[in-house]
Amino acid sequence: MLIRKIPGDRTLEFNHLVLDYNGTIASGGTVAPEIKERILKLAGDLEIHVVTADTFGSAARELSGLPLRLEIIDDSGQGEQKEALVRRLTGGVCALGNGANDREMLLAADLGIAVLESEGLDPRILGGARILCRSIGEALDLLLSPEALTATLRR
């Protein structure tokens, strides 16, 4: 469990981290080594789920050996499938995404983080996010650093 006490707000407690794959943790179907390292660090405190329609067919290979659950979803109704995954999870959920099909997932999570990477960000998801990060590395670092997340969310 990851616990972050936010002054002037509530204490955030997460059991799960849900990550969109394409455009969020992967660019062109590839996950950078430094992102894999951060995922490994977070896996000590969180159950990690990566959700994707696997457009490039590379998710299983790229994520091999990482302590996470890969959730392959259908091409149709992706937003609804991602939201349903978040709602099925018990305990607090943090979700990260970048695409239009991530909006409902971010809204359903206890903390939604929108990520702007090289493949872009659909501005419609901003209404579902509480935080916007310039990169997946920065977003994962927020979770790894109690001080950084507190600085962003405190009131």
Side-chain angles (χ1 to χ4, degrees):
M1 177 178 286
L2 190 72
I3 300 172
R4 299 292 184 254
K5 189 171 185 172
I6 310 300
D9 202 341
R10 61 192 168 109
T11 297
L12 297 172
E13 298 181 6
F14 304 117
N15 291 317
H16 303 276
L17 175 60
V18 178
L19 302 167
D20 169 60
Y21 185 72
N22 288 312
T24 302
I25 66 167
S27 179
T30 303
V31 181
E34 62 270 16
I35 301 308
K36 291 179 181 181
E37 290 171 16
R38 288 175 173 101
I39 289 171
L40 275 170
K41 288 179 185 176
L42 287 165
D45 295 317
L46 296 165
E47 186 173 319
I48 299 177
H49 308 261
V50 175
V51 59
T52 181
D54 205 14
T55 304
F56 296 96
S58 63
R61 181 187 74 244
E62 284 292 311
L63 300 172
S64 176
L66 291 174
L68 55 78
R69 293 180 185 205
L70 178 59
E71 311 272 347
I72 306 289
I73 58 173
D74 298 331
D75 283 336
S76 62
Q78 291 179 26
E80 293 82 6
Q81 291 177 73
K82 290 178 176 187
E83 176 186 14
L85 167 64
V86 168
R87 293 195 185 281
R88 278 195 312 268
L89 299 173
T90 57
V93 177
C94 178
L96 282 68
N98 77 312
N101 62 6
D102 296 323
R103 185 175 190 278
E104 289 80 12
M105 173 180 78
L106 298 182
L107 276 168
D110 296 286
L111 178 63
I113 301 176
V115 176
L116 175 60
E117 276 290 343
S118 62
E119 294 181 12
L121 174 134
D122 187 306
R124 291 174 286 186
I125 71 164
L126 295 175
R130 190 157 174 209
I131 298 173
L132 168 63
C133 288
R134 297 177 297 184
S135 71
I136 184 60
E138 288 181 1
L140 296 174
D141 286 346
L142 274 179
L143 297 176
L144 287 165
S145 169
E147 297 80 18
L149 189 59
T150 297
T152 301
L153 294 176
R154 71 175 166 228
R155 293 181 185 214

